[in-house]
Amino acid sequence: MQGQGLEDAARQYFDQSAQIPTRVRLAVAENVTGAGVQWRAGGVMTQFCRVHRNAGTAPISIRAMPRRAHNGNAASRPTPGSKPRRLLATIEDHELVDPALSSERLLYRLFHEQGVTVFPAQDVRDACRCRMSGIEAMLRRFTPLERRDMTGDDGLIA
């Protein structure tokens, strides 16, 4: 991946490999208080997805509004994800790192006309589902010379 930072790298990744329009917006800031200095990070990812309900992931609807009708001309219809992309571009860094601004409030500010759906939070875990046999099979697809080129001075494949 290439880019000037994590946000650019994520944008490039989703542009090249995702099958649905995706945008990522990230920010980091230093928060100085009387108690000292803390770093805060925040981000938002939007994807143009068809709505479907799965058991166990019931969303919380903040507001639901009907979609606006278009004049029937295909050229007048926005491309999927174009409006969320434009709205996401209006987010300022301070909004993503402000501890007083909830995610729900920020999403409502952006998408109140379309309706906002917030899914229950899920824990983030550092866990790899890869199996050693799968990794070995993937590495066997490379020639010995290619594997040697992948190997760093420490003997590990980079």
Side-chain angles (χ1 to χ4, degrees):
M1 290 195 293
Q2 299 172 345
Q4 295 299 314
L6 184 57
E7 186 175 324
D8 286 339
R11 180 178 17 258
Q12 179 190 26
Y13 170 80
F14 284 112
D15 284 347
Q16 292 178 354
S17 63
Q19 295 180 11
I20 55 176
T22 303
R23 283 295 176 260
V24 176
R25 179 73 176 79
L26 304 170
V28 176
E30 189 176 30
N31 186 21
V32 180
T33 66
V37 176
Q38 290 182 322
W39 285 92
R40 292 189 55 85
V44 62
M45 181 175 87
T46 61
Q47 292 185 309
F48 179 81
C49 301
R50 298 209 189 295
V51 176
H52 63 309
R53 308 282 189 242
N54 291 332
T57 59
I60 303 164
S61 288
I62 295 175
R63 179 178 177 197
M65 296 287 287
R67 293 182 180 214
R68 291 197 157 88
H70 296 281
N71 66 9
N73 178 354
S76 73
R77 293 186 194 129
T79 59
S82 63
K83 186 167 186 178
R85 201 171 19 254
R86 287 193 312 270
L87 293 172
L88 190 65
T90 68
I91 296 175
E92 297 187 29
D93 287 355
H94 70 88
E95 293 177 292
L96 291 173
V97 297
D98 183 350
L101 180 60
S102 70
S103 301
E104 291 84 0
R105 187 141 182 85
L106 178 58
L107 291 172
Y108 182 78
R109 179 184 75 74
L110 293 170
F111 303 109
H112 64 277
E113 290 182 5
Q114 293 79 25
V116 176
T117 302
V118 179
F119 291 89
Q122 295 181 7
D123 290 336
V124 177
R125 291 181 294 133
D126 181 14
C128 179
R129 297 185 309 234
C130 300
R131 292 185 323 274
M132 187 57 73
S133 61
I135 295 169
E136 289 170 349
M138 181 267 305
L139 289 173
R140 278 194 293 274
R141 291 185 202 134
F142 293 97
T143 67
L145 178 60
E146 289 171 324
R147 287 194 301 266
R148 197 169 31 255
D149 288 342
M150 291 180 220
T151 305
D153 293 338
D154 58 3
L156 299 175
I157 292 180

